Structures are given as structure tokens and as C-alpha cells.
Amino acid sequence: MGIEEKLPSGVLLTTVEGVAGYMRKASFWPATFGLACCAIEMMTSGGPRYDLSRFGMEVFRASPRQADLMIVAGRVSQKMAPVLRQIYDQMAEPKYVLAMGVCASSGGMFNNYAIVQGVDHVVPVDMYLPGCPPRPEMLIDAILKLHKQVQTSKLGSNRRDQIEALETEALNALPTSEMKGLLR
């Protein structure tokens, strides 16, 4: 006979991390950081047709101190990189970054000295969204995947341990050049 059978109907058992994760995922406040054509698709996803407010993202915040999700939409120039980093540093913890479009993810077709070849050289990225430009449906799908990631994240010292484990796993991973697969 478990504890579930002794409790009255309507009582829910969970953890603090579970409740905090649920609340965090349901209240993303994105920062506006549209740099190129991807920004038009990002604005479209906030409009009435796609309606990001269904996911608790009614307003794109102009102040980084009120935002916890930065959607980097478009190419980042070398001159814009320090500004991007400053805005990221001003955001409150926990903060998440979504690289929207191939230009933000890897520099795209702009392989030159003026464009940063991937925003992950400037800020840590939690989710990559490919496409040129990605459709609003793709952005919503990436946000929902980020919701799952946020809901299962740990709190406090458990979070630090989780981050250390993920970094160690990434450092010990097999380099791409040594991977065997369909392309090799």
C-alpha cells in the first residue's frame, strides 16, 4: 500500500524542481534582438496568426533585465557582437539563447571577416534553429523544445552539477572529423 492510496483524491505529489520548471517554461519573456530577415519571421510568430501568447510569451521585452530568452534572429556582425554580449550579461538568471536562422547558427552564406561565424562564439546557445529564414512554425517548434529542456532542468547545486556533467560530456565527445557515418 503506497502513499498515493492513503492521500485523498485531488492531492498532487511533485518536487520543487518540477513545479519551478513548469512555471519557468510557461513564462518565457523574450528579448528583442532581430538583426536581419529572420526578424520578420520572428515578428510574424508573435502576431495573431501564430500567437506566441499561447505559450506565455505575450510581449517581447525591450529591456534585457526583464527578459530570460534571447532570440538572436539573423547575422551578427563583428561590431554587433560586443553589444549582443552586453545584453546577454544584463539578462537575469536563468537565461536562455535561441539562435534563429543559419546566419546566427553558423554565419550562413556570409563567410567573411565582417560576420561572426556562429553566435555561439559570443554567447552560449541553448537551441539552434536552421533555415533561411526559418518559418514561424519552426520557431514555435524550437521554443516548445526549449520548454522541454527548461522543464527538466535542475535547480541550485544540482544545476551546477548538471552543467558540469554536460560540459564534460561535450569535451570528451568524439571530434566530428573522426565520426563514422553515412557521409564517410
Side-chain angles (χ1 to χ4, degrees):
M1 179 177 231
I3 192 167
E4 295 86 10
E5 296 169 4
K6 293 183 179 180
L7 292 173
S9 158
V11 174
L12 177 68
L13 298 175
T14 187
T15 63
V16 174
E17 286 180 345
V19 172
Y22 182 78
M23 296 303 167
R24 279 187 189 159
K25 83 161 186 138
S27 64
F28 268 150
W29 287 3
T32 54
F33 209 82
L35 298 168
C37 45
C38 291
I40 296 168
E41 300 294 328
M42 181 177 65
M43 289 181 242
T44 303
S45 65
R49 182 173 186 151
Y50 298 100
D51 194 20
L52 274 177
S53 63
R54 294 178 290 166
F55 309 110
M57 301 172 65
E58 281 96 22
V59 182
F60 279 81
R61 301 294 167 175
S63 170
R65 289 174 181 87
Q66 296 176 346
D68 55 0
L69 170 65
M70 177 187 284
I71 302 174
V72 182
R75 59 189 175 271
V76 178
S77 67
Q78 295 289 351
K79 285 186 175 183
M80 187 57 75
V83 176
L84 175 79
R85 183 62 197 204
Q86 181 181 8
I87 290 174
Y88 176 80
D89 290 339
Q90 290 176 353
M91 290 171 61
E93 288 286 343
K95 49 192 168 188
Y96 307 95
V97 178
L98 193 150
M100 181 177 177
V102 71
C103 293
S105 298
S106 65
M109 66 193 95
F110 303 101
N111 189 10
N112 60 30
Y113 66 92
I115 303 298
V116 175
Q117 298 300 306
V119 76
D120 54 355
H121 292 285
V122 183
V123 294
V125 176
D126 296 295
M127 184 70 62
Y128 293 93
L129 175 59
C132 184
R135 298 275 308 138
E137 296 94 345
M138 295 171 68
L139 176 60
I140 290 171
D141 182 57
I143 290 170
L144 291 176
K145 288 179 181 172
L146 191 59
H147 277 185
K148 289 180 186 172
Q149 207 175 41
V150 168
Q151 189 169 4
T152 58
S153 66
K154 306 287 184 192
L155 294 177
S157 61
N158 294 339
R159 176 76 177 141
R160 285 192 296 274
D161 295 341
Q162 183 184 30
I163 290 171
E164 284 180 21
L166 290 172
E167 287 177 357
T168 304
E169 181 183 336
L171 289 173
N172 294 333
L174 190 65
T176 310
S177 59
E178 295 177 14
M179 291 183 179
K180 304 290 185 221
L182 296 174
L183 300 176
R184 297 219 174 243

